[in-house]
mmCIF file of all heavy atoms in Angstrom:
data_model
loop_
_atom_site.group_PDB
_atom_site.id
_atom_site.type_symbol
_atom_site.label_atom_id
_atom_site.label_comp_id
_atom_site.label_asym_id
_atom_site.label_seq_id
_atom_site.Cartn_x
_atom_site.Cartn_y
_atom_site.Cartn_z
ATOM 1 N N LEU A 292 19.416 17.634 -9.228
ATOM 2 C CA LEU A 292 20.274 16.455 -9.319
ATOM 3 C C LEU A 292 20.021 15.685 -10.627
ATOM 4 O O LEU A 292 20.949 15.278 -11.322
ATOM 5 C CB LEU A 292 20.027 15.529 -8.116
ATOM 6 C CG LEU A 292 21.021 14.386 -8.103
ATOM 7 C CD1 LEU A 292 22.242 14.773 -7.290
ATOM 8 C CD2 LEU A 292 20.406 13.121 -7.575
ATOM 9 N N VAL A 293 18.744 15.523 -10.962
ATOM 10 C CA VAL A 293 18.374 14.799 -12.191
ATOM 11 C C VAL A 293 18.978 15.514 -13.407
ATOM 12 O O VAL A 293 19.553 14.880 -14.303
ATOM 13 C CB VAL A 293 16.827 14.690 -12.310
ATOM 14 C CG1 VAL A 293 16.404 14.213 -13.685
ATOM 15 C CG2 VAL A 293 16.285 13.766 -11.224
ATOM 16 N N ARG A 294 18.894 16.828 -13.404
ATOM 17 C CA ARG A 294 19.418 17.584 -14.543
ATOM 18 C C ARG A 294 20.940 17.484 -14.631
ATOM 19 O O ARG A 294 21.503 17.244 -15.696
ATOM 20 C CB ARG A 294 18.980 19.048 -14.451
ATOM 21 C CG ARG A 294 19.218 19.775 -15.769
ATOM 22 C CD ARG A 294 18.751 21.205 -15.784
ATOM 23 N NE ARG A 294 19.350 21.957 -14.704
ATOM 24 C CZ ARG A 294 18.667 22.719 -13.850
ATOM 25 N NH1 ARG A 294 17.361 22.815 -13.943
ATOM 26 N NH2 ARG A 294 19.278 23.380 -12.895
ATOM 27 N N ALA A 295 21.612 17.609 -13.481
ATOM 28 C CA ALA A 295 23.081 17.543 -13.488
ATOM 29 C C ALA A 295 23.558 16.178 -13.990
ATOM 30 O O ALA A 295 24.505 16.097 -14.786
ATOM 31 C CB ALA A 295 23.618 17.813 -12.082
ATOM 32 N N MET A 296 22.879 15.111 -13.566
ATOM 33 C CA MET A 296 23.302 13.774 -13.997
ATOM 34 C C MET A 296 23.045 13.571 -15.494
ATOM 35 O O MET A 296 23.860 12.987 -16.203
ATOM 36 C CB MET A 296 22.632 12.689 -13.147
ATOM 37 C CG MET A 296 23.160 12.659 -11.707
ATOM 38 S SD MET A 296 22.342 11.453 -10.635
ATOM 39 C CE MET A 296 23.192 9.930 -11.085
ATOM 40 N N ALA A 297 21.917 14.091 -15.982
ATOM 41 C CA ALA A 297 21.606 13.962 -17.411
ATOM 42 C C ALA A 297 22.641 14.728 -18.245
ATOM 43 O O ALA A 297 23.144 14.234 -19.266
ATOM 44 C CB ALA A 297 20.202 14.488 -17.698
ATOM 45 N N GLU A 298 22.981 15.939 -17.794
ATOM 46 C CA GLU A 298 23.961 16.736 -18.549
ATOM 47 C C GLU A 298 25.351 16.098 -18.490
ATOM 48 O O GLU A 298 26.116 16.166 -19.445
ATOM 49 C CB GLU A 298 23.996 18.167 -18.008
ATOM 50 C CG GLU A 298 22.724 18.928 -18.393
ATOM 51 C CD GLU A 298 22.625 20.330 -17.798
ATOM 52 O OE1 GLU A 298 23.565 20.780 -17.093
ATOM 53 O OE2 GLU A 298 21.585 20.975 -18.028
ATOM 54 N N SER A 299 25.654 15.476 -17.355
ATOM 55 C CA SER A 299 26.936 14.790 -17.231
ATOM 56 C C SER A 299 27.028 13.652 -18.250
ATOM 57 O O SER A 299 28.039 13.477 -18.935
ATOM 58 C CB SER A 299 27.088 14.231 -15.808
ATOM 59 O OG SER A 299 28.179 13.351 -15.739
ATOM 60 N N HIS A 300 25.941 12.894 -18.366
ATOM 61 C CA HIS A 300 25.974 11.787 -19.323
ATOM 62 C C HIS A 300 26.133 12.303 -20.758
ATOM 63 O O HIS A 300 26.942 11.783 -21.535
ATOM 64 C CB HIS A 300 24.731 10.890 -19.215
ATOM 65 C CG HIS A 300 24.864 9.686 -20.087
ATOM 66 N ND1 HIS A 300 25.545 8.556 -19.687
ATOM 67 C CD2 HIS A 300 24.505 9.465 -21.372
ATOM 68 C CE1 HIS A 300 25.585 7.694 -20.688
ATOM 69 N NE2 HIS A 300 24.954 8.213 -21.723
ATOM 70 N N ALA A 301 25.384 13.334 -21.088
ATOM 71 C CA ALA A 301 25.471 13.889 -22.445
ATOM 72 C C ALA A 301 26.886 14.386 -22.730
ATOM 73 O O ALA A 301 27.419 14.210 -23.833
ATOM 74 C CB ALA A 301 24.460 15.026 -22.599
ATOM 75 N N SER A 302 27.530 14.976 -21.736
ATOM 76 C CA SER A 302 28.882 15.495 -21.911
ATOM 77 C C SER A 302 29.891 14.354 -22.080
ATOM 78 O O SER A 302 30.818 14.433 -22.893
ATOM 79 C CB SER A 302 29.220 16.362 -20.693
ATOM 80 O OG SER A 302 30.526 16.858 -20.769
ATOM 81 N N MET A 303 29.694 13.262 -21.343
ATOM 82 C CA MET A 303 30.570 12.085 -21.517
ATOM 83 C C MET A 303 30.379 11.478 -22.909
ATOM 84 O O MET A 303 31.304 10.961 -23.510
ATOM 85 C CB MET A 303 30.262 11.021 -20.455
ATOM 86 C CG MET A 303 30.648 11.429 -19.054
ATOM 87 S SD MET A 303 30.571 10.030 -17.917
ATOM 88 C CE MET A 303 28.812 9.755 -17.793
ATOM 89 N N ARG A 304 29.151 11.553 -23.399
ATOM 90 C CA ARG A 304 28.837 10.986 -24.716
ATOM 91 C C ARG A 304 29.373 11.876 -25.845
ATOM 92 O O ARG A 304 30.057 11.401 -26.751
ATOM 93 C CB ARG A 304 27.309 10.848 -24.839
ATOM 94 C CG ARG A 304 26.821 10.186 -26.115
ATOM 95 C CD ARG A 304 25.311 10.317 -26.222
ATOM 96 N NE ARG A 304 24.921 11.734 -26.227
ATOM 97 C CZ ARG A 304 23.799 12.221 -25.701
ATOM 98 N NH1 ARG A 304 22.912 11.435 -25.147
ATOM 99 N NH2 ARG A 304 23.547 13.528 -25.756
ATOM 100 N N ASP A 305 29.113 13.181 -25.759
ATOM 101 C CA ASP A 305 29.380 14.051 -26.900
ATOM 102 C C ASP A 305 30.751 14.723 -26.857
ATOM 103 O O ASP A 305 31.357 14.937 -27.897
ATOM 104 C CB ASP A 305 28.301 15.141 -26.988
ATOM 105 C CG ASP A 305 26.909 14.541 -27.096
ATOM 106 O OD1 ASP A 305 26.795 13.397 -27.578
ATOM 107 O OD2 ASP A 305 25.937 15.201 -26.677
ATOM 108 N N ASP A 306 31.220 15.084 -25.676
ATOM 109 C CA ASP A 306 32.495 15.800 -25.581
ATOM 110 C C ASP A 306 33.659 14.881 -25.215
ATOM 111 O O ASP A 306 34.770 15.057 -25.694
ATOM 112 C CB ASP A 306 32.412 16.930 -24.534
ATOM 113 C CG ASP A 306 31.886 18.229 -25.146
ATOM 114 O OD1 ASP A 306 31.685 18.265 -26.386
ATOM 115 O OD2 ASP A 306 31.676 19.191 -24.394
ATOM 116 N N PHE A 307 33.399 13.911 -24.328
ATOM 117 C CA PHE A 307 34.516 13.066 -23.882
ATOM 118 C C PHE A 307 34.552 11.736 -24.647
ATOM 119 O O PHE A 307 35.553 11.017 -24.615
ATOM 120 C CB PHE A 307 34.435 12.850 -22.363
ATOM 121 C CG PHE A 307 35.785 12.949 -21.691
ATOM 122 C CD1 PHE A 307 36.495 14.138 -21.701
ATOM 123 C CD2 PHE A 307 36.345 11.850 -21.063
ATOM 124 C CE1 PHE A 307 37.754 14.232 -21.100
ATOM 125 C CE2 PHE A 307 37.606 11.930 -20.460
ATOM 126 C CZ PHE A 307 38.304 13.125 -20.481
ATOM 127 N N ASN A 308 33.441 11.400 -25.313
ATOM 128 C CA ASN A 308 33.349 10.200 -26.156
ATOM 129 C C ASN A 308 33.776 8.912 -25.439
ATOM 130 O O ASN A 308 34.650 8.185 -25.909
ATOM 131 C CB ASN A 308 34.189 10.378 -27.431
ATOM 132 C CG ASN A 308 33.802 11.627 -28.213
ATOM 133 O OD1 ASN A 308 34.635 12.490 -28.461
ATOM 134 N ND2 ASN A 308 32.545 11.748 -28.592
ATOM 135 N N ILE A 309 33.134 8.664 -24.287
ATOM 136 C CA ILE A 309 33.496 7.440 -23.544
ATOM 137 C C ILE A 309 32.290 6.532 -23.290
ATOM 138 O O ILE A 309 32.395 5.568 -22.544
ATOM 139 C CB ILE A 309 34.171 7.772 -22.183
ATOM 140 C CG1 ILE A 309 33.309 8.715 -21.356
ATOM 141 C CG2 ILE A 309 35.569 8.337 -22.385
ATOM 142 C CD1 ILE A 309 33.806 8.925 -19.924
ATOM 143 N N THR A 310 31.130 6.863 -23.865
ATOM 144 C CA THR A 310 29.975 5.977 -23.668
ATOM 145 C C THR A 310 29.856 5.039 -24.871
ATOM 146 O O THR A 310 30.626 5.153 -25.827
ATOM 147 C CB THR A 310 28.664 6.774 -23.489
ATOM 148 O OG1 THR A 310 28.317 7.376 -24.740
ATOM 149 C CG2 THR A 310 28.806 7.863 -22.432
ATOM 150 N N THR A 311 28.922 4.114 -24.813
ATOM 151 C CA THR A 311 28.676 3.228 -25.960
ATOM 152 C C THR A 311 27.175 3.316 -26.273
ATOM 153 O O THR A 311 26.388 3.714 -25.398
ATOM 154 C CB THR A 311 29.015 1.760 -25.648
ATOM 155 O OG1 THR A 311 28.011 1.259 -24.750
ATOM 156 C CG2 THR A 311 30.375 1.606 -24.983
ATOM 157 N N PRO A 312 26.751 2.932 -27.484
ATOM 158 C CA PRO A 312 25.324 3.054 -27.826
ATOM 159 C C PRO A 312 24.418 2.283 -26.847
ATOM 160 O O PRO A 312 23.352 2.793 -26.473
ATOM 161 C CB PRO A 312 25.252 2.434 -29.233
ATOM 162 C CG PRO A 312 26.628 2.658 -29.802
ATOM 163 C CD PRO A 312 27.576 2.538 -28.641
ATOM 164 N N ALA A 313 24.832 1.091 -26.410
ATOM 165 C CA ALA A 313 23.976 0.325 -25.493
ATOM 166 C C ALA A 313 23.840 1.040 -24.147
ATOM 167 O O ALA A 313 22.764 1.060 -23.540
ATOM 168 C CB ALA A 313 24.533 -1.084 -25.298
ATOM 169 N N ILE A 314 24.942 1.645 -23.700
ATOM 170 C CA ILE A 314 24.885 2.379 -22.419
ATOM 171 C C ILE A 314 24.016 3.623 -22.562
ATOM 172 O O ILE A 314 23.241 3.959 -21.669
ATOM 173 C CB ILE A 314 26.318 2.754 -21.971
ATOM 174 C CG1 ILE A 314 27.095 1.475 -21.698
ATOM 175 C CG2 ILE A 314 26.305 3.720 -20.795
ATOM 176 C CD1 ILE A 314 27.727 1.338 -20.375
ATOM 177 N N ASP A 315 24.132 4.303 -23.695
ATOM 178 C CA ASP A 315 23.272 5.479 -23.929
ATOM 179 C C ASP A 315 21.808 5.052 -23.895
ATOM 180 O O ASP A 315 20.955 5.751 -23.327
ATOM 181 C CB ASP A 315 23.579 6.125 -25.291
ATOM 182 C CG ASP A 315 24.976 6.723 -25.344
ATOM 183 O OD1 ASP A 315 25.552 6.999 -24.279
ATOM 184 O OD2 ASP A 315 25.495 6.900 -26.473
ATOM 185 N N TYR A 316 21.527 3.911 -24.495
ATOM 186 C CA TYR A 316 20.152 3.409 -24.510
ATOM 187 C C TYR A 316 19.676 3.112 -23.082
ATOM 188 O O TYR A 316 18.562 3.481 -22.685
ATOM 189 C CB TYR A 316 20.064 2.137 -25.377
ATOM 190 C CG TYR A 316 18.718 1.479 -25.291
ATOM 191 C CD1 TYR A 316 17.621 1.985 -26.008
ATOM 192 C CD2 TYR A 316 18.510 0.381 -24.450
ATOM 193 C CE1 TYR A 316 16.368 1.406 -25.894
ATOM 194 C CE2 TYR A 316 17.257 -0.195 -24.332
ATOM 195 C CZ TYR A 316 16.192 0.325 -25.053
ATOM 196 O OH TYR A 316 14.949 -0.239 -24.930
ATOM 197 N N LEU A 317 20.547 2.465 -22.298
ATOM 198 C CA LEU A 317 20.201 2.099 -20.916
ATOM 199 C C LEU A 317 19.894 3.339 -20.078
ATOM 200 O O LEU A 317 18.912 3.367 -19.312
ATOM 201 C CB LEU A 317 21.367 1.298 -20.312
ATOM 202 C CG LEU A 317 21.221 0.784 -18.888
ATOM 203 C CD1 LEU A 317 19.991 -0.110 -18.748
ATOM 204 C CD2 LEU A 317 22.489 -0.004 -18.478
ATOM 205 N N VAL A 318 20.702 4.364 -20.237
ATOM 206 C CA VAL A 318 20.512 5.604 -19.475
ATOM 207 C C VAL A 318 19.175 6.258 -19.856
ATOM 208 O O VAL A 318 18.397 6.677 -18.987
ATOM 209 C CB VAL A 318 21.714 6.565 -19.697
ATOM 210 C CG1 VAL A 318 21.394 7.985 -19.251
ATOM 211 C CG2 VAL A 318 22.938 6.037 -18.961
ATOM 212 N N GLN A 319 18.882 6.288 -21.162
ATOM 213 C CA GLN A 319 17.624 6.889 -21.620
ATOM 214 C C GLN A 319 16.418 6.085 -21.124
ATOM 215 O O GLN A 319 15.404 6.645 -20.692
ATOM 216 C CB GLN A 319 17.633 6.957 -23.155
ATOM 217 C CG GLN A 319 16.547 7.834 -23.741
ATOM 218 C CD GLN A 319 16.631 9.267 -23.192
ATOM 219 O OE1 GLN A 319 17.697 9.867 -23.191
ATOM 220 N NE2 GLN A 319 15.519 9.793 -22.688
ATOM 221 N N LEU A 320 16.560 4.763 -21.165
ATOM 222 C CA LEU A 320 15.485 3.864 -20.719
ATOM 223 C C LEU A 320 15.141 4.147 -19.254
ATOM 224 O O LEU A 320 13.961 4.274 -18.877
ATOM 225 C CB LEU A 320 15.983 2.412 -20.883
ATOM 226 C CG LEU A 320 15.081 1.267 -20.461
ATOM 227 C CD1 LEU A 320 13.856 1.216 -21.371
ATOM 228 C CD2 LEU A 320 15.836 -0.070 -20.556
ATOM 229 N N ILE A 321 16.168 4.277 -18.415
ATOM 230 C CA ILE A 321 15.948 4.512 -16.981
ATOM 231 C C ILE A 321 15.400 5.921 -16.754
ATOM 232 O O ILE A 321 14.487 6.117 -15.943
ATOM 233 C CB ILE A 321 17.260 4.262 -16.190
ATOM 234 C CG1 ILE A 321 17.645 2.795 -16.294
ATOM 235 C CG2 ILE A 321 17.096 4.679 -14.730
ATOM 236 C CD1 ILE A 321 18.994 2.443 -15.684
ATOM 237 N N ALA A 322 15.948 6.888 -17.492
ATOM 238 C CA ALA A 322 15.460 8.266 -17.344
ATOM 239 C C ALA A 322 13.969 8.328 -17.695
ATOM 240 O O ALA A 322 13.173 8.933 -16.968
ATOM 241 C CB ALA A 322 16.266 9.206 -18.242
ATOM 242 N N ASP A 323 13.587 7.676 -18.792
ATOM 243 C CA ASP A 323 12.176 7.677 -19.201
ATOM 244 C C ASP A 323 11.304 7.003 -18.144
ATOM 245 O O ASP A 323 10.228 7.497 -17.801
ATOM 246 C CB ASP A 323 11.997 6.964 -20.555
ATOM 247 C CG ASP A 323 12.621 7.766 -21.700
ATOM 248 O OD1 ASP A 323 12.941 8.962 -21.482
ATOM 249 O OD2 ASP A 323 12.811 7.192 -22.796
ATOM 250 N N ALA A 324 11.789 5.870 -17.630
ATOM 251 C CA ALA A 324 11.004 5.133 -16.628
ATOM 252 C C ALA A 324 10.827 5.963 -15.357
ATOM 253 O O ALA A 324 9.827 5.842 -14.658
ATOM 254 C CB ALA A 324 11.684 3.804 -16.308
ATOM 255 N N GLY A 325 11.822 6.799 -15.066
ATOM 256 C CA GLY A 325 11.752 7.628 -13.854
ATOM 257 C C GLY A 325 10.891 8.867 -14.031
ATOM 258 O O GLY A 325 10.539 9.520 -13.053
ATOM 259 N N ALA A 326 10.570 9.198 -15.260
ATOM 260 C CA ALA A 326 9.710 10.344 -15.576
ATOM 261 C C ALA A 326 10.103 11.607 -14.799
ATOM 262 O O ALA A 326 9.281 12.237 -14.130
ATOM 263 C CB ALA A 326 8.242 9.991 -15.317
ATOM 264 N N GLY A 327 11.405 11.913 -14.845
ATOM 265 C CA GLY A 327 11.872 13.145 -14.203
ATOM 266 C C GLY A 327 12.209 12.985 -12.731
ATOM 267 O O GLY A 327 12.660 13.931 -12.089
ATOM 268 N N ARG A 328 12.003 11.784 -12.178
ATOM 269 C CA ARG A 328 12.275 11.602 -10.738
ATOM 270 C C ARG A 328 13.472 10.690 -10.478
ATOM 271 O O ARG A 328 13.698 10.248 -9.354
ATOM 272 C CB ARG A 328 11.034 11.052 -10.038
ATOM 273 C CG ARG A 328 9.841 12.004 -10.169
ATOM 274 C CD ARG A 328 8.736 11.607 -9.231
ATOM 275 N NE ARG A 328 9.105 11.833 -7.844
ATOM 276 C CZ ARG A 328 8.659 11.112 -6.823
ATOM 277 N NH1 ARG A 328 7.850 10.098 -7.043
ATOM 278 N NH2 ARG A 328 9.021 11.400 -5.586
ATOM 279 N N ALA A 329 14.272 10.375 -11.538
ATOM 280 C CA ALA A 329 15.457 9.533 -11.339
ATOM 281 C C ALA A 329 16.665 10.187 -11.998
ATOM 282 O O ALA A 329 16.645 10.480 -13.194
ATOM 283 C CB ALA A 329 15.230 8.142 -11.941
ATOM 284 N N GLY A 330 17.720 10.418 -11.222
ATOM 285 C CA GLY A 330 18.988 10.869 -11.787
ATOM 286 C C GLY A 330 19.686 9.633 -12.336
ATOM 287 O O GLY A 330 19.700 8.594 -11.677
#
Side-chain angles (χ1 to χ4, degrees):
L292 187 91
V293 168
R294 194 177 56 230
M296 290 177 81
E298 288 175 2
S299 168
H300 187 83
S302 178
M303 292 191 290
R304 184 189 59 213
D305 303 334
D306 273 355
F307 222 64
N308 305 122
I309 54 171
T310 70
T311 72
I314 296 235
D315 294 339
Y316 173 78
L317 181 58
V318 164
Q319 193 57 49
L320 178 66
I321 295 174
D323 291 346
R328 299 193 69 210

